[in-house]
Amino acid sequence: MQSSDSPANAKREIYMEDIYCKSQDSYHQFVLNSLPIGVAILHMPGYIINLTNAEFARMVGEASPACLAQGKSLEEALPKQWVDLIMPLVDEALDTDDRIMVCKVSQAVIDSETDDYWFVSCQPIPNCNSSTKHALIFSQDISEESVLLKRLNALNVLGSSLSRGYSLYEFLDDGIKRFASVISADYCAAFLLDQDGSRLLRVAESKPLDWAPVEIHLDSACEWQWDARSDGPTYVCPPDACNVEARVLASIGAYGYLHIPVTVMGSLMGFIAAIFKKTGYRPPQEDIEFAQLVAERCALAITTEKMMVEYGRLLSAEQALHRASTEKAAQMEALLESLECGVLIYDRNGYVSLSNHASEEIADLGKPGSKRRDDMAFNIPLEYLDGKIVPVEERPYDKLMREGSLVDEDYIIHRADGSTRVVSFSGGVIRDSGGMVSSAILILRDITKLHEMEQTRQEMVRLISHDLRSPLTLILARAQMLERLADKPDAVRKNASAIITTAKLMDVMISDLTDSFRLQSEEIRLRKQALDVERLISDCMEHWIGVPDLLRLRLDIEPDLPPVYGDSVRLERILTNLMTNAFKYSPKDSEVVIRVVLGQNEEEIVISVIDQGQGVSKEELPNIFERCYRDPVAQNTTEGLGLGLYISKKLVEAHGGRIWARSVVGNGSTFSFTIPIAR
């Protein structure tokens, strides 16, 4: 019987321990191989492989962990690309005593045409023996996650392209290239129907290989069965491909192609074809679903393009309409501004929407802008021609809206400067299809001059029928007396003298009438020249020789006066009119003075006619130069048409001078006018 410490027992124990250790290693290897991540344990220094699992072997391109023999260094066991990655990673982890991570993209090495994405990290293993260290390598295949990220990134980029307003063809060109890259297709192309729907046009391709035709005529024999599968993406490959599809695949040297229809609002607008050369390949369901999403983005791009085209068409039409309306508005504005009559256009709410300058000037409105209703008179009172205030309900706008039209309604407008104008209003309303008033138009015509002319006409009729008839009656009576007193010379002379005087008075009246009308129409032309003032007055006096009133006249002329520049005949007429009034409206024994002095500015001569007559009241003084004006007190006792001062004022102003009067009731009047000095 052998003792427990015999050599045989010791050998057996060593053998059993070796078996135990090997079983433990097998167990550890089994556990590591069952892990979904790659694991490798390195002995340092020397980067010696202690242990690896199947996932780590797959990462580095080996069939099994057995290919990575224990005891070998990394440089001996691993391809160079992995040695260059792992060794620096281990060094940094041991130096920092911390976990270090990195992502690795490697070209496929095991019967795959896609890139592999690996997440690799290194964790130092604590060891009491400071001279020996171990490093734990972890690796994880994240290829599927990377593909998903690529899909999401591609969809995100396509969405950004849509929002950035890329053109349809730019979008399709970028989208097809990204689509081909994500699903690892050898070639992709996009086809869209043309406008008339007779052809399919290739609008984008992933590579310039021209594997697909540039255009497909749908009315001819078409080998691309583009509308046969329109419900969704379909993968066409043997043995499912029909004869036509098989010929297409053979012609381009491909195993299969993915057909993705592009539909817009239920209508088939085109398709995307993804071509694969690898024999036996079938795209995963994820790629088919991704293809459907890409097709939807393309459909959205087509819809956006159509909307943009339609928007551009509508915008162009709107711009053309705007230009046309602007031109019409400019033409309307030019037309309105060229009119002498005022125009006010109101909207359906009663606000002024359009006006011209004439309306603003006629009614003293300022710019009407959006002022409302009949405030076009803007608090300026309106009066009837008889002076009565127009009630609010009878103002032009209200009357127009009530009656629907307005024809030549005449009113007096009081302007802000104190003047008045006679304005005639006309207008009408425009109704919409429902009979409601949509706008109203008021036309304003300034008839102040016409009204004044009418008043003048009436006054002229009165004067001609009354004032001219009186001297004619006197002439007729004197002539009849001459006929009866032919044998009495003294009586004949007396009556003949009366006839002559009356005829002269009629001549003056007729001359005044003629000159007043000529001055109003500006038909009188002055013949100006340098004139000696003293000589001018002397010549005027010669026409008064034999007239008793001449004895009442006294001259007061400043010596050495410079010559004036004027029409001698017209200046004499002015002086004669003023002298006639002075003699007419002053006592027979009172003095009348003609005073001539140099003006204060030494650029004009001032001629004044001073009488000692009854004078003119302050109320009447502003009116004495108006046409046909006659003093209310004297008009029943003196003859004339009331045109002398009016004519004098117009003639003075025609010479570039001024005329005015000062008067005190009971103390006489002074009428003065200026004539420019000759230069």
Side-chain angles (χ1 to χ4, degrees), residues 168 192 262 264 269 297-307:
L168 175 62
L192 292 182
V262 178
V264 176
M269 301 302 297
R297 295 297 191 278
C298 292
L300 183 58
I302 294 171
T303 303
T304 303
E305 178 79 5
K306 287 186 174 182
M307 291 176 60

Side-chain angles (χ1 to χ4, degrees), residues 439-456:
S439 60
I441 302 175
L442 272 179
I443 307 297
L444 291 69
R445 291 187 300 116
D446 186 352
I447 60 171
T448 305
K449 290 186 177 180
L450 184 62
H451 183 70
E452 291 175 351
M453 290 176 64
E454 177 61 21
Q455 288 183 319
T456 301

Side-chain angles (χ1 to χ4, degrees), residues 144-163:
E144 291 185 1
E145 289 82 353
S146 66
V147 171
L148 178 60
L149 287 174
K150 285 177 67 176
R151 292 193 187 108
L152 292 176
N153 181 62
L155 291 176
N156 180 57
V157 171
L158 292 178
S160 300
S161 299
L162 283 174
S163 63

Side-chain angles (χ1 to χ4, degrees), residues 510-526:
I510 293 171
S511 296
D512 285 348
L513 279 173
T514 303
D515 287 348
S516 68
F517 283 116
R518 286 180 177 174
L519 286 168
Q520 189 175 16
S521 61
E522 299 181 353
E523 292 182 359
I524 290 182
R525 299 292 182 265
L526 300 181

Side-chain angles (χ1 to χ4, degrees), residues 317-338:
E318 181 183 2
Q319 290 174 343
L321 183 61
H322 176 70
R323 287 193 298 270
S325 62
T326 301
E327 291 176 1
K328 289 184 178 179
Q331 293 172 359
M332 177 64 72
E333 183 176 358
L335 176 61
L336 290 179
E337 292 301 330
S338 67

Side-chain angles (χ1 to χ4, degrees), residues 185-206:
D186 294 284
Y187 177 80
C188 283
F191 296 85
L192 292 182
L193 277 174
D194 63 0
Q195 291 185 350
D196 58 10
S198 63
R199 295 180 304 165
L200 282 166
L201 303 178
R202 191 187 69 206
V203 295
E205 59 181 349
S206 60

